[in-house]
Amino acid sequence: MYFKTDSSFKSLLPTEFITSRGEVVEQRVHVPLFPPPICTECDSRETSCLIASSKSCYVVTRKGRLDLNLPVFHCQNCEKSTFPTVEDYISSGF
């Protein structure tokens, strides 16, 4: 719940966050994975970062359900993007 200064309130969606200025913004959050140390396309070392795709997924833990987005590995050297494999999820603890 987001309580505003005028005593009104709003239920936040799982994709909504509050900025430091009090604005409600929508943001995608990806499943946290370890990025690969080497890009599979160009063999560059430590150039991959994670970005959130538009594909939704749900992660269920003992503490509850998380509405997240599937991650994409994006190489900052060759600009190629690839989806993680099952092995990437397992090595990251899922």
Side-chain angles (χ1 to χ4, degrees):
M1 297 295 279
Y2 172 49
F3 293 93
K4 300 178 184 178
T5 55
D6 64 358
S7 299
S8 63
F9 63 92
K10 174 185 180 350
S11 293
L12 294 176
L13 297 173
T15 56
E16 292 181 321
F17 297 86
I18 302 168
T19 67
S20 58
R21 296 188 307 244
E23 300 166 331
V24 177
V25 295
E26 190 167 331
Q27 181 176 334
R28 291 187 221 161
V29 178
H30 60 76
V31 177
L33 296 181
F34 296 119
I38 299 173
C39 175
T40 57
E41 296 290 326
C42 69
D43 293 329
S44 294
R45 292 191 170 276
E46 300 188 19
T47 58
S48 292
C49 64
L50 280 172
I51 56 174
S53 73
S54 59
K55 295 182 179 185
S56 299
C57 71
Y58 307 101
V59 175
V60 180
T61 68
R62 292 181 191 167
K63 295 183 179 182
R65 184 181 103 172
L66 301 170
D67 297 357
L68 302 173
N69 290 78
L70 290 177
V72 175
F73 295 132
H74 179 76
C75 178
Q76 297 170 337
N77 184 49
C78 68
E79 298 294 323
K80 297 283 184 179
S81 295
T82 57
F83 281 97
T85 64
V86 171
E87 289 81 12
D88 294 320
Y89 286 97
I90 291 171
S91 67
S92 295
F94 291 97

PDB file of all heavy atoms in Angstrom, residues 6-38:
ATOM      1  N   ASP A   6      -2.077  13.266   1.149  1.00  0.00           N
ATOM      2  CA  ASP A   6      -3.454  13.769   1.249  1.00  0.00           C
ATOM      3  C   ASP A   6      -4.400  12.742   1.869  1.00  0.00           C
ATOM      4  O   ASP A   6      -5.606  12.829   1.701  1.00  0.00           O
ATOM      5  CB  ASP A   6      -3.952  14.200  -0.128  1.00  0.00           C
ATOM      6  CG  ASP A   6      -4.046  13.050  -1.121  1.00  0.00           C
ATOM      7  OD1 ASP A   6      -3.694  11.900  -0.762  1.00  0.00           O
ATOM      8  OD2 ASP A   6      -4.477  13.292  -2.259  1.00  0.00           O
ATOM      9  N   SER A   7      -3.849  11.761   2.582  1.00  0.00           N
ATOM     10  CA  SER A   7      -4.584  10.707   3.283  1.00  0.00           C
ATOM     11  C   SER A   7      -5.226   9.674   2.361  1.00  0.00           C
ATOM     12  O   SER A   7      -5.975   8.825   2.820  1.00  0.00           O
ATOM     13  CB  SER A   7      -5.665  11.299   4.207  1.00  0.00           C
ATOM     14  OG  SER A   7      -5.048  12.107   5.177  1.00  0.00           O
ATOM     15  N   SER A   8      -4.955   9.739   1.061  1.00  0.00           N
ATOM     16  CA  SER A   8      -5.456   8.702   0.166  1.00  0.00           C
ATOM     17  C   SER A   8      -4.409   7.593   0.084  1.00  0.00           C
ATOM     18  O   SER A   8      -3.290   7.744   0.554  1.00  0.00           O
ATOM     19  CB  SER A   8      -5.746   9.280  -1.223  1.00  0.00           C
ATOM     20  OG  SER A   8      -4.559   9.760  -1.807  1.00  0.00           O
ATOM     21  N   PHE A   9      -4.794   6.468  -0.500  1.00  0.00           N
ATOM     22  CA  PHE A   9      -3.854   5.373  -0.629  1.00  0.00           C
ATOM     23  C   PHE A   9      -4.077   4.640  -1.938  1.00  0.00           C
ATOM     24  O   PHE A   9      -5.113   4.789  -2.576  1.00  0.00           O
ATOM     25  CB  PHE A   9      -3.947   4.410   0.554  1.00  0.00           C
ATOM     26  CG  PHE A   9      -5.280   3.722   0.673  1.00  0.00           C
ATOM     27  CD1 PHE A   9      -5.486   2.503   0.067  1.00  0.00           C
ATOM     28  CD2 PHE A   9      -6.313   4.306   1.399  1.00  0.00           C
ATOM     29  CE1 PHE A   9      -6.704   1.867   0.169  1.00  0.00           C
ATOM     30  CE2 PHE A   9      -7.534   3.673   1.501  1.00  0.00           C
ATOM     31  CZ  PHE A   9      -7.736   2.452   0.888  1.00  0.00           C
ATOM     32  N   LYS A  10      -3.089   3.866  -2.322  1.00  0.00           N
ATOM     33  CA  LYS A  10      -3.144   3.113  -3.568  1.00  0.00           C
ATOM     34  C   LYS A  10      -2.484   1.761  -3.334  1.00  0.00           C
ATOM     35  O   LYS A  10      -1.427   1.680  -2.720  1.00  0.00           O
ATOM     36  CB  LYS A  10      -2.373   3.878  -4.656  1.00  0.00           C
ATOM     37  CG  LYS A  10      -2.208   3.154  -5.972  1.00  0.00           C
ATOM     38  CD  LYS A  10      -1.325   3.981  -6.896  1.00  0.00           C
ATOM     39  CE  LYS A  10      -1.033   3.458  -8.245  1.00  0.00           C
ATOM     40  NZ  LYS A  10      -1.304   2.230  -8.719  1.00  0.00           N
ATOM     41  N   SER A  11      -3.105   0.711  -3.815  1.00  0.00           N
ATOM     42  CA  SER A  11      -2.484  -0.604  -3.776  1.00  0.00           C
ATOM     43  C   SER A  11      -1.482  -0.682  -4.917  1.00  0.00           C
ATOM     44  O   SER A  11      -1.821  -0.430  -6.070  1.00  0.00           O
ATOM     45  CB  SER A  11      -3.529  -1.708  -3.955  1.00  0.00           C
ATOM     46  OG  SER A  11      -4.397  -1.735  -2.855  1.00  0.00           O
ATOM     47  N   LEU A  12      -0.242  -1.007  -4.584  1.00  0.00           N
ATOM     48  CA  LEU A  12       0.792  -1.088  -5.604  1.00  0.00           C
ATOM     49  C   LEU A  12       0.772  -2.461  -6.274  1.00  0.00           C
ATOM     50  O   LEU A  12       0.572  -3.479  -5.617  1.00  0.00           O
ATOM     51  CB  LEU A  12       2.172  -0.863  -4.989  1.00  0.00           C
ATOM     52  CG  LEU A  12       2.442   0.527  -4.431  1.00  0.00           C
ATOM     53  CD1 LEU A  12       3.812   0.559  -3.779  1.00  0.00           C
ATOM     54  CD2 LEU A  12       2.353   1.579  -5.512  1.00  0.00           C
ATOM     55  N   LEU A  13       0.975  -2.463  -7.581  1.00  0.00           N
ATOM     56  CA  LEU A  13       1.128  -3.708  -8.317  1.00  0.00           C
ATOM     57  C   LEU A  13       2.521  -4.258  -8.057  1.00  0.00           C
ATOM     58  O   LEU A  13       3.412  -3.517  -7.627  1.00  0.00           O
ATOM     59  CB  LEU A  13       0.935  -3.443  -9.812  1.00  0.00           C
ATOM     60  CG  LEU A  13      -0.444  -2.937 -10.233  1.00  0.00           C
ATOM     61  CD1 LEU A  13      -0.434  -2.548 -11.707  1.00  0.00           C
ATOM     62  CD2 LEU A  13      -1.490  -4.003  -9.965  1.00  0.00           C
ATOM     63  N   PRO A  14       2.767  -5.545  -8.316  1.00  0.00           N
ATOM     64  CA  PRO A  14       4.101  -6.104  -8.074  1.00  0.00           C
ATOM     65  C   PRO A  14       5.204  -5.436  -8.894  1.00  0.00           C
ATOM     66  O   PRO A  14       6.369  -5.533  -8.557  1.00  0.00           O
ATOM     67  CB  PRO A  14       3.957  -7.574  -8.482  1.00  0.00           C
ATOM     68  CG  PRO A  14       2.515  -7.857  -8.405  1.00  0.00           C
ATOM     69  CD  PRO A  14       1.805  -6.572  -8.703  1.00  0.00           C
ATOM     70  N   THR A  15       4.828  -4.750  -9.969  1.00  0.00           N
ATOM     71  CA  THR A  15       5.816  -4.090 -10.827  1.00  0.00           C
ATOM     72  C   THR A  15       5.957  -2.596 -10.531  1.00  0.00           C
ATOM     73  O   THR A  15       6.672  -1.901 -11.234  1.00  0.00           O
ATOM     74  CB  THR A  15       5.425  -4.252 -12.306  1.00  0.00           C
ATOM     75  OG1 THR A  15       4.103  -3.735 -12.485  1.00  0.00           O
ATOM     76  CG2 THR A  15       5.475  -5.709 -12.724  1.00  0.00           C
ATOM     77  N   GLU A  16       5.273  -2.096  -9.519  1.00  0.00           N
ATOM     78  CA  GLU A  16       5.315  -0.670  -9.199  1.00  0.00           C
ATOM     79  C   GLU A  16       6.196  -0.398  -7.985  1.00  0.00           C
ATOM     80  O   GLU A  16       6.181  -1.153  -7.013  1.00  0.00           O
ATOM     81  CB  GLU A  16       3.905  -0.134  -8.935  1.00  0.00           C
ATOM     82  CG  GLU A  16       3.040  -0.109 -10.179  1.00  0.00           C
ATOM     83  CD  GLU A  16       1.666   0.439  -9.924  1.00  0.00           C
ATOM     84  OE1 GLU A  16       1.074   0.148  -8.858  1.00  0.00           O
ATOM     85  OE2 GLU A  16       1.157   1.161 -10.795  1.00  0.00           O
ATOM     86  N   PHE A  17       6.949   0.694  -8.071  1.00  0.00           N
ATOM     87  CA  PHE A  17       7.859   1.098  -7.012  1.00  0.00           C
ATOM     88  C   PHE A  17       7.701   2.589  -6.764  1.00  0.00           C
ATOM     89  O   PHE A  17       7.203   3.319  -7.614  1.00  0.00           O
ATOM     90  CB  PHE A  17       9.309   0.788  -7.400  1.00  0.00           C
ATOM     91  CG  PHE A  17       9.564  -0.675  -7.582  1.00  0.00           C
ATOM     92  CD1 PHE A  17       9.323  -1.302  -8.794  1.00  0.00           C
ATOM     93  CD2 PHE A  17      10.021  -1.440  -6.526  1.00  0.00           C
ATOM     94  CE1 PHE A  17       9.541  -2.655  -8.959  1.00  0.00           C
ATOM     95  CE2 PHE A  17      10.242  -2.797  -6.680  1.00  0.00           C
ATOM     96  CZ  PHE A  17       9.999  -3.397  -7.899  1.00  0.00           C
ATOM     97  N   ILE A  18       8.158   3.043  -5.598  1.00  0.00           N
ATOM     98  CA  ILE A  18       8.073   4.459  -5.244  1.00  0.00           C
ATOM     99  C   ILE A  18       9.472   5.060  -5.310  1.00  0.00           C
ATOM    100  O   ILE A  18      10.411   4.527  -4.710  1.00  0.00           O
ATOM    101  CB  ILE A  18       7.486   4.637  -3.834  1.00  0.00           C
ATOM    102  CG1 ILE A  18       6.105   3.995  -3.769  1.00  0.00           C
ATOM    103  CG2 ILE A  18       7.415   6.101  -3.461  1.00  0.00           C
ATOM    104  CD1 ILE A  18       5.561   3.860  -2.380  1.00  0.00           C
ATOM    105  N   THR A  19       9.619   6.162  -6.045  1.00  0.00           N
ATOM    106  CA  THR A  19      10.912   6.830  -6.153  1.00  0.00           C
ATOM    107  C   THR A  19      11.157   7.670  -4.906  1.00  0.00           C
ATOM    108  O   THR A  19      10.257   7.856  -4.070  1.00  0.00           O
ATOM    109  CB  THR A  19      10.971   7.744  -7.389  1.00  0.00           C
ATOM    110  OG1 THR A  19      10.045   8.828  -7.202  1.00  0.00           O
ATOM    111  CG2 THR A  19      10.643   6.985  -8.666  1.00  0.00           C
ATOM    112  N   SER A  20      12.357   8.213  -4.787  1.00  0.00           N
ATOM    113  CA  SER A  20      12.690   9.069  -3.641  1.00  0.00           C
ATOM    114  C   SER A  20      11.874  10.365  -3.656  1.00  0.00           C
ATOM    115  O   SER A  20      11.743  11.032  -2.632  1.00  0.00           O
ATOM    116  CB  SER A  20      14.184   9.399  -3.633  1.00  0.00           C
ATOM    117  OG  SER A  20      14.540  10.047  -4.843  1.00  0.00           O
ATOM    118  N   ARG A  21      11.282  10.721  -4.805  1.00  0.00           N
ATOM    119  CA  ARG A  21      10.423  11.916  -4.894  1.00  0.00           C
ATOM    120  C   ARG A  21       8.953  11.588  -4.641  1.00  0.00           C
ATOM    121  O   ARG A  21       8.087  12.448  -4.784  1.00  0.00           O
ATOM    122  CB  ARG A  21      10.586  12.561  -6.263  1.00  0.00           C
ATOM    123  CG  ARG A  21      11.988  13.096  -6.503  1.00  0.00           C
ATOM    124  CD  ARG A  21      12.060  13.904  -7.779  1.00  0.00           C
ATOM    125  NE  ARG A  21      11.536  13.160  -8.906  1.00  0.00           N
ATOM    126  CZ  ARG A  21      12.239  12.785  -9.963  1.00  0.00           C
ATOM    127  NH1 ARG A  21      13.513  13.075 -10.038  1.00  0.00           N
ATOM    128  NH2 ARG A  21      11.686  12.117 -10.947  1.00  0.00           N
ATOM    129  N   GLY A  22       8.663  10.316  -4.306  1.00  0.00           N
ATOM    130  CA  GLY A  22       7.294   9.921  -4.000  1.00  0.00           C
ATOM    131  C   GLY A  22       6.457   9.579  -5.215  1.00  0.00           C
ATOM    132  O   GLY A  22       5.247   9.438  -5.113  1.00  0.00           O
ATOM    133  N   GLU A  23       7.075   9.417  -6.367  1.00  0.00           N
ATOM    134  CA  GLU A  23       6.351   9.066  -7.583  1.00  0.00           C
ATOM    135  C   GLU A  23       6.274   7.547  -7.725  1.00  0.00           C
ATOM    136  O   GLU A  23       7.219   6.841  -7.393  1.00  0.00           O
ATOM    137  CB  GLU A  23       7.062   9.644  -8.812  1.00  0.00           C
ATOM    138  CG  GLU A  23       7.185  11.144  -8.800  1.00  0.00           C
ATOM    139  CD  GLU A  23       8.171  11.640  -9.852  1.00  0.00           C
ATOM    140  OE1 GLU A  23       9.117  10.891 -10.191  1.00  0.00           O
ATOM    141  OE2 GLU A  23       7.990  12.757 -10.311  1.00  0.00           O
ATOM    142  N   VAL A  24       5.148   7.061  -8.228  1.00  0.00           N
ATOM    143  CA  VAL A  24       4.983   5.635  -8.482  1.00  0.00           C
ATOM    144  C   VAL A  24       5.438   5.372  -9.915  1.00  0.00           C
ATOM    145  O   VAL A  24       4.951   6.001 -10.860  1.00  0.00           O
ATOM    146  CB  VAL A  24       3.514   5.203  -8.287  1.00  0.00           C
ATOM    147  CG1 VAL A  24       3.335   3.733  -8.636  1.00  0.00           C
ATOM    148  CG2 VAL A  24       3.063   5.478  -6.867  1.00  0.00           C
ATOM    149  N   VAL A  25       6.404   4.469 -10.072  1.00  0.00           N
ATOM    150  CA  VAL A  25       6.927   4.121 -11.398  1.00  0.00           C
ATOM    151  C   VAL A  25       6.832   2.612 -11.592  1.00  0.00           C
ATOM    152  O   VAL A  25       6.866   1.849 -10.636  1.00  0.00           O
ATOM    153  CB  VAL A  25       8.391   4.578 -11.586  1.00  0.00           C
ATOM    154  CG1 VAL A  25       8.498   6.084 -11.551  1.00  0.00           C
ATOM    155  CG2 VAL A  25       9.299   3.952 -10.558  1.00  0.00           C
ATOM    156  N   GLU A  26       6.722   2.204 -12.843  1.00  0.00           N
ATOM    157  CA  GLU A  26       6.696   0.783 -13.161  1.00  0.00           C
ATOM    158  C   GLU A  26       8.101   0.351 -13.565  1.00  0.00           C
ATOM    159  O   GLU A  26       8.791   1.051 -14.294  1.00  0.00           O
ATOM    160  CB  GLU A  26       5.721   0.504 -14.298  1.00  0.00           C
ATOM    161  CG  GLU A  26       5.477  -0.958 -14.501  1.00  0.00           C
ATOM    162  CD  GLU A  26       4.287  -1.232 -15.398  1.00  0.00           C
ATOM    163  OE1 GLU A  26       3.357  -0.426 -15.426  1.00  0.00           O
ATOM    164  OE2 GLU A  26       4.317  -2.280 -16.064  1.00  0.00           O
ATOM    165  N   GLN A  27       8.515  -0.789 -13.064  1.00  0.00           N
ATOM    166  CA  GLN A  27       9.859  -1.275 -13.335  1.00  0.00           C
ATOM    167  C   GLN A  27       9.852  -2.790 -13.385  1.00  0.00           C
ATOM    168  O   GLN A  27       9.212  -3.439 -12.567  1.00  0.00           O
ATOM    169  CB  GLN A  27      10.807  -0.794 -12.240  1.00  0.00           C
ATOM    170  CG  GLN A  27      12.237  -1.202 -12.423  1.00  0.00           C
ATOM    171  CD  GLN A  27      13.124  -0.600 -11.352  1.00  0.00           C
ATOM    172  OE1 GLN A  27      12.811   0.435 -10.795  1.00  0.00           O
ATOM    173  NE2 GLN A  27      14.211  -1.252 -11.063  1.00  0.00           N
ATOM    174  N   ARG A  28      10.562  -3.344 -14.355  1.00  0.00           N
ATOM    175  CA  ARG A  28      10.705  -4.801 -14.443  1.00  0.00           C
ATOM    176  C   ARG A  28      11.850  -5.254 -13.550  1.00  0.00           C
ATOM    177  O   ARG A  28      12.895  -4.614 -13.514  1.00  0.00           O
ATOM    178  CB  ARG A  28      11.005  -5.225 -15.865  1.00  0.00           C
ATOM    179  CG  ARG A  28       9.865  -5.025 -16.803  1.00  0.00           C
ATOM    180  CD  ARG A  28      10.222  -5.632 -18.137  1.00  0.00           C
ATOM    181  NE  ARG A  28       9.767  -4.737 -19.186  1.00  0.00           N
ATOM    182  CZ  ARG A  28      10.202  -4.759 -20.418  1.00  0.00           C
ATOM    183  NH1 ARG A  28      11.114  -5.626 -20.791  1.00  0.00           N
ATOM    184  NH2 ARG A  28       9.733  -3.926 -21.305  1.00  0.00           N
ATOM    185  N   VAL A  29      11.654  -6.354 -12.864  1.00  0.00           N
ATOM    186  CA  VAL A  29      12.693  -6.940 -12.014  1.00  0.00           C
ATOM    187  C   VAL A  29      12.937  -8.354 -12.509  1.00  0.00           C
ATOM    188  O   VAL A  29      12.004  -9.149 -12.625  1.00  0.00           O
ATOM    189  CB  VAL A  29      12.267  -6.960 -10.528  1.00  0.00           C
ATOM    190  CG1 VAL A  29      13.325  -7.621  -9.679  1.00  0.00           C
ATOM    191  CG2 VAL A  29      11.979  -5.545 -10.046  1.00  0.00           C
ATOM    192  N   HIS A  30      14.191  -8.675 -12.832  1.00  0.00           N
ATOM    193  CA  HIS A  30      14.510  -9.991 -13.364  1.00  0.00           C
ATOM    194  C   HIS A  30      14.893 -10.967 -12.260  1.00  0.00           C
ATOM    195  O   HIS A  30      15.244 -10.576 -11.152  1.00  0.00           O
ATOM    196  CB  HIS A  30      15.638  -9.907 -14.398  1.00  0.00           C
ATOM    197  CG  HIS A  30      16.921  -9.357 -13.849  1.00  0.00           C
ATOM    198  ND1 HIS A  30      17.763 -10.071 -13.051  1.00  0.00           N
ATOM    199  CD2 HIS A  30      17.483  -8.139 -14.001  1.00  0.00           C
ATOM    200  CE1 HIS A  30      18.800  -9.337 -12.733  1.00  0.00           C
ATOM    201  NE2 HIS A  30      18.661  -8.151 -13.281  1.00  0.00           N
ATOM    202  N   VAL A  31      14.816 -12.234 -12.586  1.00  0.00           N
ATOM    203  CA  VAL A  31      15.282 -13.286 -11.692  1.00  0.00           C
ATOM    204  C   VAL A  31      16.784 -13.086 -11.499  1.00  0.00           C
ATOM    205  O   VAL A  31      17.512 -12.927 -12.481  1.00  0.00           O
ATOM    206  CB  VAL A  31      15.005 -14.682 -12.293  1.00  0.00           C
ATOM    207  CG1 VAL A  31      15.562 -15.780 -11.404  1.00  0.00           C
ATOM    208  CG2 VAL A  31      13.518 -14.879 -12.527  1.00  0.00           C
ATOM    209  N   PRO A  32      17.263 -13.044 -10.249  1.00  0.00           N
ATOM    210  CA  PRO A  32      18.694 -12.800 -10.046  1.00  0.00           C
ATOM    211  C   PRO A  32      19.538 -14.034 -10.378  1.00  0.00           C
ATOM    212  O   PRO A  32      19.389 -15.087  -9.763  1.00  0.00           O
ATOM    213  CB  PRO A  32      18.781 -12.451  -8.559  1.00  0.00           C
ATOM    214  CG  PRO A  32      17.595 -13.125  -7.946  1.00  0.00           C
ATOM    215  CD  PRO A  32      16.527 -13.139  -9.000  1.00  0.00           C
ATOM    216  N   LEU A  33      20.385 -13.904 -11.374  1.00  0.00           N
ATOM    217  CA  LEU A  33      21.277 -14.986 -11.790  1.00  0.00           C
ATOM    218  C   LEU A  33      22.713 -14.473 -11.853  1.00  0.00           C
ATOM    219  O   LEU A  33      22.943 -13.274 -11.996  1.00  0.00           O
ATOM    220  CB  LEU A  33      20.904 -15.509 -13.184  1.00  0.00           C
ATOM    221  CG  LEU A  33      19.554 -16.169 -13.380  1.00  0.00           C
ATOM    222  CD1 LEU A  33      19.411 -16.640 -14.816  1.00  0.00           C
ATOM    223  CD2 LEU A  33      19.365 -17.328 -12.433  1.00  0.00           C
ATOM    224  N   PHE A  34      23.654 -15.394 -11.765  1.00  0.00           N
ATOM    225  CA  PHE A  34      25.052 -15.047 -11.974  1.00  0.00           C
ATOM    226  C   PHE A  34      25.293 -14.920 -13.479  1.00  0.00           C
ATOM    227  O   PHE A  34      24.993 -15.858 -14.220  1.00  0.00           O
ATOM    228  CB  PHE A  34      25.982 -16.116 -11.404  1.00  0.00           C
ATOM    229  CG  PHE A  34      25.885 -16.267  -9.919  1.00  0.00           C
ATOM    230  CD1 PHE A  34      25.496 -17.471  -9.359  1.00  0.00           C
ATOM    231  CD2 PHE A  34      26.179 -15.211  -9.066  1.00  0.00           C
ATOM    232  CE1 PHE A  34      25.408 -17.629  -7.989  1.00  0.00           C
ATOM    233  CE2 PHE A  34      26.080 -15.357  -7.699  1.00  0.00           C
ATOM    234  CZ  PHE A  34      25.698 -16.561  -7.159  1.00  0.00           C
ATOM    235  N   PRO A  35      25.838 -13.795 -13.955  1.00  0.00           N
ATOM    236  CA  PRO A  35      26.119 -13.697 -15.392  1.00  0.00           C
ATOM    237  C   PRO A  35      27.292 -14.603 -15.763  1.00  0.00           C
ATOM    238  O   PRO A  35      28.175 -14.856 -14.943  1.00  0.00           O
ATOM    239  CB  PRO A  35      26.474 -12.222 -15.593  1.00  0.00           C
ATOM    240  CG  PRO A  35      26.881 -11.733 -14.265  1.00  0.00           C
ATOM    241  CD  PRO A  35      26.157 -12.569 -13.243  1.00  0.00           C
ATOM    242  N   PRO A  36      27.295 -15.098 -16.994  1.00  0.00           N
ATOM    243  CA  PRO A  36      28.403 -15.966 -17.402  1.00  0.00           C
ATOM    244  C   PRO A  36      29.714 -15.182 -17.460  1.00  0.00           C
ATOM    245  O   PRO A  36      29.721 -14.009 -17.841  1.00  0.00           O
ATOM    246  CB  PRO A  36      27.984 -16.453 -18.791  1.00  0.00           C
ATOM    247  CG  PRO A  36      27.013 -15.445 -19.280  1.00  0.00           C
ATOM    248  CD  PRO A  36      26.330 -14.897 -18.069  1.00  0.00           C
ATOM    249  N   PRO A  37      30.829 -15.819 -17.103  1.00  0.00           N
ATOM    250  CA  PRO A  37      32.106 -15.103 -17.121  1.00  0.00           C
ATOM    251  C   PRO A  37      32.604 -14.812 -18.530  1.00  0.00           C
ATOM    252  O   PRO A  37      33.374 -13.883 -18.745  1.00  0.00           O
ATOM    253  CB  PRO A  37      33.058 -16.050 -16.388  1.00  0.00           C
ATOM    254  CG  PRO A  37      32.426 -17.388 -16.482  1.00  0.00           C
ATOM    255  CD  PRO A  37      30.948 -17.167 -16.581  1.00  0.00           C
ATOM    256  N   ILE A  38      32.144 -15.603 -19.521  1.00  0.00           N
ATOM    257  CA  ILE A  38      32.567 -15.423 -20.908  1.00  0.00           C
ATOM    258  C   ILE A  38      31.337 -15.401 -21.807  1.00  0.00           C
ATOM    259  O   ILE A  38      30.447 -16.241 -21.682  1.00  0.00           O
ATOM    260  CB  ILE A  38      33.507 -16.569 -21.349  1.00  0.00           C
ATOM    261  CG1 ILE A  38      34.764 -16.585 -20.479  1.00  0.00           C
ATOM    262  CG2 ILE A  38      33.889 -16.437 -22.817  1.00  0.00           C
ATOM    263  CD1 ILE A  38      35.664 -17.770 -20.719  1.00  0.00           C
TER     264      ILE A  38
END
